[in-house]
Amino acid sequence: WSWIIGLSPPPAGVLSLPSFESAFGISFAAWDPGSDKFVGMVVGSAVLLFVALFDLAGVQYGLLGIAGLLKDGNVPRSTSIFASAGIATMFGSLLGTSPIIIASENSAGIIEGAKTGLMAVVVAILFFFSAFLGPLLSAVPHVATAVPLVLIGAFMMAPCRSIDWDNLRVAIPSFLTMTVVPFTYSIHTGIIAGILMDGFLTMFSKPLKEPKPLKEEPIMAIDAPTKVDCVVTNDLARTSSPACLSRRFSTPHMTLAASACNDTKVDDARKLLEKLCYAPPSAPQSPAMHGRDPGEEVAAEQALKKALEKFVEAH
């Protein structure tokens, strides 16, 4: 339709031979320390190195996360992945191509169940034939390729569900990385922004001491059903959280102490404790119908109340 309505010109042909004019055009004259281009070559090479490094690290982690192939949160055989990309880049540069990296479009094949590498082989064969379809493929407008790219972006957002968004120590660098990438059209720029923010939080945050573990008390068995008294103080009777609760934010790099309110776990424990304390006594049931001795039920209820009281008081 874009060709019919004039949005983009139709292809001038279908088949053409690939051009190898820049192949084996190797020159190291600019690497002469006395050359005016020496500094530019060093800076440019360093930029290409880190761009390729961050792109490879980010894309391979995202793709293996979608495929479910991560082991303990790490990329298995990542050294082989970097080595293959480096070797491909060296041979590709002899043919005049840009650095070889992992294409994020691989997620489309992974979503369909590709995990063994056969998908990559098929795509490589198709890329080989596409070299002879240059006029036809170059005539495809960008609006036609935007839709599959949006779908691929949606696929790659799936690993974000594993981010601990309640932990600001992790959420802030993650959010900054995901927002910088689309606005700068650069994956490595977003990764660098996230690393810098992570380093900033590491430098200007204070570690929080480990809380002391609660002592466990033995549960006393009760032979007969007895009434369990439950005293709820004013602090425990409040359904809202205290003014400030200490929450711990941590990553493998460091721990950040911050104050947070409305701790849902404490609220849930407090509400459950109130239900147990103020709930009307249930009608007694025979052991045969209930399957347990009434004394054991009362002992379990008493132990649960004590555990909830200790948890709420500790927080």
Side-chain angles (χ1 to χ4, degrees):
W1 282 103
S2 60
W3 298 338
I4 297 176
I5 63 177
L7 185 62
S8 63
V14 177
L15 298 176
S16 66
L17 293 176
S19 175
F20 295 97
E21 295 180 357
S22 58
F24 299 99
I26 303 174
S27 175
F28 295 96
W31 284 99
D32 185 1
S35 174
D36 297 337
K37 300 180 180 180
F38 178 75
V39 177
M41 291 295 293
V42 173
V43 174
S45 300
V47 170
L48 288 176
L49 171 64
F50 285 103
V51 166
L53 180 64
F54 287 134
D55 281 346
L56 288 170
V59 175
Q60 70 177 332
Y61 186 88
L63 293 178
L64 267 71
I66 296 174
L69 299 178
L70 294 176
K71 295 182 179 180
D72 299 328
N74 298 321
V75 177
R77 296 180 296 178
S78 60
T79 303
S80 302
I81 298 175
F82 283 111
S84 61
I87 295 173
T89 299
M90 287 190 296
F91 283 97
S93 62
L94 295 177
L95 300 177
T97 64
S98 57
I100 308 300
I101 59 173
I102 305 173
S104 58
E105 288 79 4
N106 287 296
S107 59
I110 294 175
I111 293 298
E112 295 298 327
K115 292 185 179 180
T116 62
L118 181 60
M119 180 267 297
V121 175
V122 174
V123 172
I125 296 174
L126 294 177
F127 266 116
F128 173 78
F129 287 110
S130 67
F132 300 92
L133 300 174
L136 179 62
L137 297 178
S138 60
V140 177
H142 294 291
V143 292
T145 60
V147 176
L149 289 178
V150 171
L151 295 177
I152 291 171
F155 294 155
M156 297 198 69
M157 288 297 293
C160 295
R161 69 165 67 98
S162 60
I163 298 176
D164 187 7
W165 293 108
D166 293 329
N167 187 341
L168 295 180
R169 182 66 181 79
V170 178
I172 293 176
S174 302
F175 173 77
L176 185 63
T177 300
M178 290 188 298
T179 52
V180 169
V181 169
F183 284 112
T184 59
Y185 299 96
S186 174
I187 295 177
H188 63 273
T189 302
I191 296 176
I192 293 174
I195 293 175
L196 292 177
M197 176 56 67
D198 185 77
F200 176 81
L201 295 177
T202 302
M203 294 173 57
F204 296 97
S205 56
K206 298 179 181 179
L208 181 66
K209 295 182 179 180
E210 292 287 341
K212 296 182 179 179
L214 297 176
K215 296 182 179 180
E216 297 183 357
E217 295 183 359
I219 300 176
M220 303 301 294
I222 301 177
D223 296 334
T226 58
K227 182 179 179 181
V228 180
D229 296 331
C230 184
V231 178
V232 181
T233 61
N234 292 333
D235 292 336
L236 299 180
R238 290 180 298 179
T239 58
S240 61
S241 299
C244 247
L245 295 174
S246 176
R247 178 176 291 179
R248 178 180 175 182
F249 307 105
S250 62
T251 64
H253 303 290
M254 64 94 43
T255 302
L256 171 67
S259 59
C261 300
N262 300 324
D263 193 331
T264 56
K265 293 183 179 179
V266 179
D267 286 340
D268 293 340
R270 186 178 290 107
K271 292 177 182 179
L272 179 59
L273 179 60
E274 290 182 357
K275 288 182 180 179
L276 292 175
C277 293
Y278 297 115
S282 57
Q285 299 180 359
S286 61
M289 294 178 60
H290 199 273
R292 293 179 57 184
D293 184 69
E296 295 179 359
E297 295 182 4
V298 176
E301 183 178 355
Q302 185 179 16
L304 177 60
K305 289 179 180 179
K306 288 183 178 180
L308 289 173
E309 288 176 359
K310 289 183 178 180
F311 178 77
V312 175
E313 290 176 357
H315 292 75

